[in-house]
Amino acid sequence: MVQYVLRRLGTSVVVILGVSLITFLLLHGMSGSPGRAILGVQASAEAVAAFDREHGYDRSLVIQYFDYLGGLLHGDLGHSYKLNQSVNALLAENAGRTAMLSAVALILAICAAVPLGVFQAVKRNSIGDNVLTALTFVAYSMPVFLLAMLLIQVFAMGLGVLPAQAAQSSSDFVIFTEPRAMLLPVLTLSGITVAMYSRYQRSAALDQLAQDYIRVARAKGLSMRMVLTRHLLRNACIPLVTLIGMSIPLLLTGNLVVESVFNYPGLGLLFFNSLNNQDYPVLLGYTLVAATLTVLGNLVADVLVAATDPRTRRA
Amino acid sequence: MTESTTDKTGAPTARDDREARLPDTMSGWRLTARAFMENRLAVTGLGIIVFFVLFCFAGPHLYTTDQVTVDPVSSLLAPGGAHPLGTDPQGFDVLGRIMRGGQASLQIGLFAALIATGIGTLYGTVAGLAGGVVDGFMMRVVDTLLSIPFLFIVLIVATRFSSTVLSLSLILGAFSWLAPARLVRAEVLSLRSRGFVAAATVMGATKARIIARHLIPNALGVVIVNITFQVADAIIAVALLGFLGFGLNYPDVEWGTQLSQGVSYLLGGSWWLIYPVGGCLVLVVMAFNFVGDALRDSIDVRLRRR
């Protein structure tokens, strides 16, 4: 087990180093020299060159990459010349709200998807199963923003019961202090996640239902309810652990769209605004953080699965 | 309870019986086609795709509208009369606009999928055949790129280029070849160790012949299934790009840009700017997903017969 964890940790480090190389190259390839960004378009080429020389931006790319890497190791993600703020500060300012939104949406999605999937597996090919399958197919084929727009149209415009915009408070806990204003963003984000999870949960539960241990449990006189909650659920949730670990990119992308549509001040909205400002240090800083989170998510999921299911360790 | 699991563990179902009686001379591809045509969802999906291709590419010749000249007088007209789906804020006929937007969305979806699958197939084959250190390195590169959220990198790169059908296809294709690369590599690895490849080697077939006559035709199924899903994903991705403001520019349009324009007028009650185009988008993506699912299942039929 220890060996397995160490090996997975090793590949994760290699992958994160690879990501840092990509973000570094993109930063250089896309944004030009920091001197130009700071001194502005009016500055003469000589002034820009002098600035770059003074701050070491004229050295070879290899040396600059190690400089960048050194900064990263000290937790320095760079500097936004457009906003004249460090990328760290910008990300830290918004991370709490985004984390809270994602966490609530994720928990809601799991709470909905697990029973839905098990229900669909037990009652498979019934009308209920078919209706839910059709619904998940529609949700799966729908871009996130379309779901957001439909929800706004129905709940904010049609029924007029919920606001069309997210809460604008800067508190991290705005979901709990202003739940009404946060309901639509949370529903949108968990909606797309439920569609994916319940699909997997259904097939995982189907696989388990066909196993002998379920039949044995039934044969020894256990009620269906006990079989489902005591035996099936535990085993059918293992694939879900992997899935949750792997769905961090989905959540981050979802955040980006949901926060832009509902104007919720988080990392996604920061990314969206930075896109329009062409503020590459912020964009690539957040990308690096997002990729690191993705790698960590996969790592944790793999380790958890290995801990619950020894057969996977050898793979 | 028992009833619902019997077909998984118990006696073969009627479907298996029918397959068992098929003549042995039937080729793999005909089997695949047959299984595909028996799947109602797949045929529906294929029908929807054919309909939309005709609707978007032949439609504008039958239903001609002016999609270039802005007409402020007839802006935001409700559906009815000369404009079956109303008009948008610039006075363009929405039905005609959906056709025009659909052309771009379908084209980008298809081009991006072909680019991605092309790169992925090549990369996966090379990695699978090379094996060892080369394979290990190539797959770590895939892992690295896969850990960066797709939409992030696509958006960042898109800020640097003007949006055309070609540039959007290239950007989307350039960052979505990772899944096909992994699939094809896995397929090549598994095919390499199969009996028929060993048999061909024993009979003296050259490496080139094994690749061309045995590996490629057998891996083709996986590749074709992948193209279908890639088209669906690319159509969604380009809609997202368009919605976030990186879509095609006037007078060109694709469905995402069209939807994002509609959002501003949603609060004014102009539902016809959203529902028809949104419905088309979901239908097309769903159709490609159905066809992909069915293709995957019907290629499984072929594998079972092997």
Side-chain angles (χ1 to χ4, degrees):
Chain A
M1 183 69 198
V2 174
Q3 208 190 355
Y4 173 81
V5 174
L6 284 179
R7 201 174 59 223
R8 280 294 283 109
L9 209 61
T11 41
S12 302
V13 170
V14 171
V15 167
I16 291 175
L17 275 177
V19 173
S20 75
L21 184 63
I22 293 172
T23 52
F24 171 79
L25 289 177
L26 278 176
L27 194 61
H28 270 262
M30 314 238 339
S31 63
S33 104
R36 179 59 73 194
I38 291 170
L39 300 176
V41 280
Q42 302 273 346
S44 67
E46 292 80 29
V48 171
F51 180 92
D52 283 349
R53 196 165 45 248
E54 194 181 325
H55 292 86
Y57 294 119
D58 61 340
R59 293 169 300 167
S60 80
L61 274 184
V62 181
I63 294 175
Q64 286 196 57
Y65 172 65
F66 280 107
D67 232 31
Y68 173 79
L69 207 57
L72 290 182
L73 287 176
H74 289 96
D76 175 16
L77 289 165
H79 192 84
S80 159
Y81 304 110
K82 298 262 155 98
L83 300 172
N84 198 18
Q85 251 182 306
S86 79
V87 175
N88 292 38
L90 281 166
L91 293 186
E93 199 182 307
N94 293 294
R97 284 184 294 274
T98 293
M100 202 55 94
L101 174 67
S102 314
V104 171
L106 183 65
I107 291 168
L108 209 65
I110 295 170
C111 291
V114 170
L116 270 183
V118 173
F119 166 80
Q120 282 184 271
V122 174
K123 306 255 176 204
R124 73 173 160 147
N125 299 333
S126 67
I127 296 175
D129 176 31
N130 288 336
V131 168
L132 285 171
T133 303
L135 274 179
T136 41
F137 251 116
V138 173
Y140 204 76
S141 305
M142 195 184 268
V144 194
F145 67 85
L146 198 57
L147 180 61
M149 279 159 61
L150 287 181
L151 288 175
I152 292 180
Q153 169 76 26
V154 172
F155 290 102
M157 303 303 304
L159 301 173
V161 286
L162 293 168
Q165 190 173 258
Q168 296 297 305
S169 153
S170 61
S171 151
D172 285 353
F173 299 97
V174 66
I175 288 184
F176 304 107
T177 52
E178 294 175 60
R180 241 172 59 87
M182 290 307 296
L183 201 55
L184 288 185
V186 169
L187 277 183
T188 311
L189 197 52
S190 47
I192 48 161
T193 331
V194 167
M196 187 168 138
Y197 288 180
S198 66
R199 206 74 212 128
Y200 275 82
Q201 190 61 38
R202 179 180 181 274
S203 61
L206 271 180
D207 281 348
Q208 295 301 324
L209 272 178
Q211 302 279 326
D212 286 339
Y213 74 89
I214 297 282
R215 217 170 278 187
V216 170
R218 282 292 280 153
K220 76 182 182 193
L222 225 58
S223 71
M224 199 59 212
R225 197 195 156 98
M226 289 290 276
V227 173
L228 288 183
T229 51
R230 289 289 167 83
H231 292 265
L232 181 109
L233 207 54
R234 288 169 71 128
N235 288 299
C237 278
I238 294 179
L240 201 63
V241 174
T242 321
L243 197 61
I244 293 169
M246 285 191 325
S247 52
I248 287 181
L250 179 83
L251 274 177
L252 290 169
T253 312
N255 268 322
L256 170 57
V257 178
V258 167
E259 290 180 11
S260 331
V261 175
F262 290 100
N263 197 25
Y264 178 68
L267 290 173
L269 193 62
L270 175 71
F271 189 90
F272 178 67
N273 291 334
S274 305
L275 277 175
N276 293 320
N277 287 336
Q278 307 213 337
D279 194 347
Y280 293 103
V282 176
L283 292 173
L284 291 163
Y286 184 31
T287 303
L288 187 65
V289 172
T292 310
L293 283 176
T294 307
V295 172
L296 285 179
N298 286 338
L299 178 68
V300 170
D302 281 356
V303 169
L304 278 181
V305 169
T308 47
D309 187 350
R311 283 168 300 178
T312 54
R313 277 176 227 166
R314 267 174 273 135
Chain B
M1 173 55 228
T2 40
E3 185 253 343
S4 67
T5 54
T6 36
D7 55 337
K8 199 139 187 158
T9 52
T13 56
R15 201 186 158 90
D16 287 336
D17 281 343
R18 204 167 54 230
E19 275 162 20
R21 280 199 306 274
L22 288 174
D24 279 333
T25 48
M26 204 160 174
S27 84
W29 291 110
R30 282 190 54 199
L31 264 178
T32 306
R34 188 193 169 110
F36 183 84
M37 293 310 285
E38 276 173 6
N39 187 330
R40 257 186 305 164
L41 271 183
V43 177
T44 316
L46 198 62
I48 295 176
I49 294 173
V50 170
F51 169 78
F52 270 100
V53 169
L54 289 176
F55 172 74
C56 296
F57 291 92
H61 295 291
L62 302 172
Y63 179 78
T64 44
T65 50
D66 184 356
Q67 294 292 336
V68 178
T69 326
V70 176
D71 180 8
V73 180
S74 51
S75 90
L76 288 176
L77 294 178
H83 304 288
L85 288 178
T87 58
D88 75 357
Q90 285 80 36
F92 296 134
D93 179 82
V94 170
L95 182 59
R97 199 109 190 111
I98 292 177
M99 292 175 180
R100 188 169 181 142
Q103 286 183 8
S105 283
L106 286 171
Q107 277 174 343
I108 297 172
L110 189 66
F111 289 161
L114 289 178
I115 294 168
T117 312
I119 302 176
T121 306
L122 197 65
Y123 194 91
T125 313
V126 171
L129 286 177
V133 184
V134 179
D135 177 40
F137 175 76
M138 287 176 85
M139 283 302 114
R140 288 299 85 70
V141 171
V142 170
D143 287 347
T144 305
L145 286 169
L146 264 182
S147 68
I148 301 175
F150 172 70
L151 196 63
F152 280 44
I153 193 142
V154 164
L155 280 168
I156 292 175
V157 175
T159 57
R160 261 286 173 252
F161 297 95
S162 64
S163 301
T164 61
V165 169
L166 185 66
S167 74
L168 288 179
S169 313
L170 283 174
I171 295 173
L172 289 175
F175 292 103
S176 42
W177 55 270
L178 305 160
R182 275 190 162 179
L183 278 174
V184 170
R185 171 182 171 269
E187 189 72 7
V188 167
L189 281 182
S190 108
L191 285 173
R192 252 175 65 173
S193 58
R194 294 273 175 83
F196 67 90
V197 174
T201 317
V202 169
M203 281 185 262
T206 60
K207 203 159 190 172
R209 187 182 162 82
I210 289 177
I211 293 174
R213 296 285 302 162
H214 297 283
L215 295 185
I216 291 181
N218 279 296
L220 211 56
V222 181
V223 173
I224 292 173
V225 172
N226 185 259
I227 291 182
T228 342
F229 288 125
Q230 291 272 343
V231 173
D233 289 350
I235 291 177
I236 288 198
V238 78
L240 273 168
L241 286 186
F243 184 77
L244 293 174
F246 298 92
L248 301 177
N249 297 317
Y250 169 85
D252 289 317
V253 72
E254 87 322 304
W255 286 342
T257 306
Q258 220 179 329
L259 278 164
S260 94
Q261 281 175 349
V263 180
S264 339
Y265 296 89
L266 196 60
L267 301 176
S270 308
W271 55 268
W272 59 92
L273 297 179
I274 303 292
Y275 288 122
V277 60
C280 292
L281 179 63
V282 172
L283 264 180
V284 167
V285 174
M286 216 154 64
F288 275 104
N289 280 330
F290 281 155
V291 171
D293 275 345
L295 274 178
R296 188 167 52 197
D297 292 348
S298 35
I299 280 166
D300 268 353
V301 169
R302 203 159 62 92
L303 292 180
R304 275 208 306 270
R305 298 268 305 162
R306 239 188 229 154

